[in-house]
Amino acid sequence: MRTSKVATLRKYAVTLVVEAKNISEGWLKTFNLENAVSFGLPEIDDRYHVWRVPLIKMGTKERIGEVVIDAYTSLVVVDETTAPDVLEARLLGRNEVTESQKREKEHVIDMPSSFVRNTVVFGDSEHALLDMPSQSVDLIFTSPPYYNARPEYEDYLSYETYLLKMRRIIHNCHRVLSEGRFFVMNVSPVLIRRANRNEASKRIAVPFDMHRIFVEEGFDFIDDIHWVKPSGAGWATGRGRRFAADRQPLQYKAVPVTEYVLVYRKHTDKLIDWNIRNHPDQQAVEESKIVDGYEATNLWKIHPAFHSEHPAVFPLELAERVVRYYSFKNDVVLDPFAGTGTTGRAASTQSRRFVLIENEQKYIEIIRREVPRWLGLATRDVMFIGCQSPDMSSVLV
Ligand SMILES: C[S@@+](CC[C@H](N)C(=O)[O-])C[C@H]1O[C@@H](n2cnc3c(N)ncnc32)[C@H](O)[C@@H]1O
């Protein structure tokens, strides 16, 4: 097996030629090009920490492009990789579309409605997302799993491993999200409790690390909304108790009563108006107008929610607001960390479709139980992947 010295030295995630080829093959498969293209010898470009994998027209020696892979994260760098439509044109010997033709096409193009129906997937979203068509989702709303550094609960070996997993999922979300549409994430700093009295507790600013990942993965920052809870809410964290007791300067610690709702838009050169004007269902656009009262500032006062079977649910009201402000009726809303499925319920109450992905059996069971309550008999049309459809005998006609 060919391994690269420089890759090992630099502690890249991708160290083998065969790994670089496998990643490239996976990428080609998402565009059904794997049978038309073979690979030249992958090389490392360690100035930019990337692998470059030459793409060759099958059965010839003609080089038609390359796949560029981030050597640290093992993700395909989409902006630097030869675009699939360019590869197709080169394979067919057609002239490539010029920039002006492209722009012209974009004006007349009709964005098709996504044909994805209500779907519940039991599985790891990093992999499940690969089975979804590109640009088949109109909004993503989620809150990521909690990073917990306590060894007894540890799901991730380190914070870096956690961030890498989040990056892979955000990367895969980017492909399935339609051009210019929104990815909204509810996320907050995490408190790592001290192990003993001589140690300080530690706070990790997860939202700021997430922000960097979003930007690097091709999203534009739009808004930081602050979900504000009633002031009693944060005291359970224990923060601020010490200062409340002895009032010593430097001991001051603010009691957290907010969470971030970060809003990103999949990068495009087009204005938001373009998304509205080109929406395939103009009646849905008209019917989705928010005519009643709406939240004009970035402070959203909403009571937190609790669930007896899940430790970290967000309130239905929060999900409904996000769904109403960032999608149109009948759009597809994805939650890659679905938990109890609050996003799915909000999508249903707001006449949108949902795709829920969750990797814990016990939470999938909650979703299976809930869906008939949201949709009644229409549950029959929901696609359940990796899990059984719910028993419909108890659903009233
Ligand atoms: C913060 S909770 C989301 C709760 C949800 N917003 C609700 O209201 O019920 C995050 C969820 O992501 C799930 N999860 C973690 N890693 C995952 C992965 N790789 N793929 C799919 N789900 C995952 C966890 O099991 C957990 O239920």
Side-chain angles (χ1 to χ4, degrees):
M1 219 176 269
R2 272 184 87 117
T3 171
S4 154
K5 234 189 214 165
V6 64
T8 318
L9 260 173
R10 294 207 186 267
K11 297 197 167 67
Y12 288 157
V14 186
T15 55
L16 302 172
V17 161
V18 64
E19 288 170 338
K21 284 188 179 175
N22 284 344
I23 294 166
S24 307
E25 194 176 356
W27 183 81
L28 287 173
K29 274 186 181 156
T30 54
F31 305 103
N32 297 323
L33 288 172
E34 75 275 18
N35 295 324
V37 180
S38 63
F39 303 114
L41 186 64
E43 281 181 351
I44 288 183
D45 181 345
D46 70 334
R47 266 176 318 165
Y48 300 106
H49 309 297
V50 294
W51 281 82
R52 296 184 189 281
V53 184
L55 300 176
I56 314 288
K57 185 173 177 175
M58 194 71 94
T60 71
K61 289 185 176 159
E62 189 187 338
R63 185 180 166 131
I64 53 169
E66 67 176 7
V67 174
V68 180
I69 301 166
D70 184 314
Y72 283 119
T73 63
S74 71
L75 297 171
V76 172
V77 185
V78 177
D79 286 352
E80 289 173 36
T81 293
T82 312
D85 55 339
V86 172
L87 285 179
E88 262 172 36
R90 288 178 184 166
L91 283 165
L92 296 169
R94 280 202 210 120
N95 286 339
E96 284 156 34
V97 191
T98 63
E99 270 309 306
S100 69
Q101 279 171 324
K102 233 186 205 169
R103 273 198 298 277
E104 209 173 293
K105 212 170 134 210
E106 276 157 4
H107 275 292
V108 291
I109 214 164
D110 266 340
M111 285 188 286
S113 245
S114 169
F115 53 82
V116 168
R117 55 187 163 119
N118 286 330
T119 306
V120 175
V121 186
F122 174 37
D124 180 338
S125 49
E126 179 186 345
H127 307 297
L129 287 165
L130 296 176
D131 294 330
M132 291 183 66
S134 307
Q135 305 212 54
S136 56
V137 158
D138 306 296
L139 166 68
I140 302 175
F141 179 47
T142 199
S143 65
Y146 190 73
Y147 171 70
N148 194 323
R150 281 189 291 176
E152 66 269 35
Y153 296 118
E154 207 173 7
D155 282 330
Y156 306 94
L157 287 175
S158 66
Y159 183 53
E160 292 311 315
T161 322
Y162 167 80
L163 288 180
L164 187 54
K165 180 76 183 178
M166 296 304 113
R167 181 187 285 275
R168 289 193 171 130
I169 292 171
I170 291 170
H171 179 88
N172 292 348
C173 281
H174 184 274
R175 187 184 65 81
V176 302
L177 185 62
S178 290
E179 183 175 359
R181 300 306 289 269
F182 291 83
F183 189 143
V184 183
M185 179 179 271
N186 163 224
V187 60
S188 7
V190 166
L191 185 70
I192 307 294
R193 289 186 196 288
R194 53 191 183 168
N196 56 59
R197 288 184 71 83
N198 301 324
E199 237 179 55
S201 60
K202 205 168 135 196
R203 271 188 115 210
I204 303 183
V206 184
F208 306 121
D209 290 323
M210 287 288 185
H211 169 79
R212 187 174 167 152
I213 294 176
F214 272 108
V215 172
E216 287 173 356
E217 292 303 328
F219 291 90
D220 293 326
F221 174 63
I222 302 291
D223 256 320
D224 55 329
I225 292 166
H226 301 254
W227 162 23
V228 186
K229 304 171 196 176
S231 56
W235 287 94
T237 61
R239 270 200 134 222
R241 281 207 192 124
R242 172 83 187 267
F243 182 78
D246 62 21
R247 308 295 170 108
Q248 283 287 359
L250 312 194
Q251 287 292 6
Y252 175 74
K253 287 202 176 91
V255 179
V257 291
T258 60
E259 292 194 21
Y260 283 99
V261 178
L262 301 178
V263 182
Y264 294 87
R265 184 171 179 234
K266 179 168 170 172
H267 179 74
T268 173
D269 296 331
K270 302 178 189 95
L271 300 175
I272 290 173
D273 245 8
W274 178 86
N275 286 98
I276 300 172
R277 273 190 287 109
N278 284 278
H279 194 285
D281 183 351
Q282 286 299 312
Q283 193 178 336
V285 170
E286 190 55 35
E287 287 172 6
S288 308
K289 275 196 176 165
I290 298 143
V291 281
D292 50 352
Y294 69 98
E295 191 52 77
T297 76
N298 70 342
L299 290 187
W300 291 10
K301 288 187 187 146
I302 299 176
H303 277 267
F306 298 96
H307 197 291
S308 57
E309 295 161 86
H310 194 293
V313 297
F314 49 48
L316 179 65
E317 193 184 340
L318 177 70
E320 285 182 335
R321 259 193 219 182
V322 169
V323 166
R324 284 199 310 135
Y325 295 171
Y326 296 105
S327 71
F328 300 99
K329 285 195 173 165
N330 204 31
D331 273 359
V332 177
V333 185
L334 163 72
D335 188 341
F337 303 115
T340 61
T342 312
T343 302
R345 186 168 165 209
S348 306
T349 65
Q350 302 307 306
S351 311
R352 273 71 164 170
R353 289 170 278 168
F354 58 77
V355 175
L356 303 175
I357 310 175
E358 169 57 52
N359 72 346
E360 285 246 16
Q361 176 90 47
K362 57 183 187 238
Y363 303 140
I364 278 290
E365 289 312 318
I366 301 177
I367 298 176
R368 288 181 63 237
R369 198 173 70 208
E370 286 289 317
V371 172
R373 294 193 193 144
W374 311 337
L375 298 179
L377 283 178
T379 304
R380 290 198 182 122
D381 303 325
V382 178
M383 190 149 67
F384 288 87
I385 300 174
C387 56
Q388 297 262 306
S389 318
D391 174 14
M392 294 294 290
S393 58
S394 58
V395 179
L396 295 175
V397 186

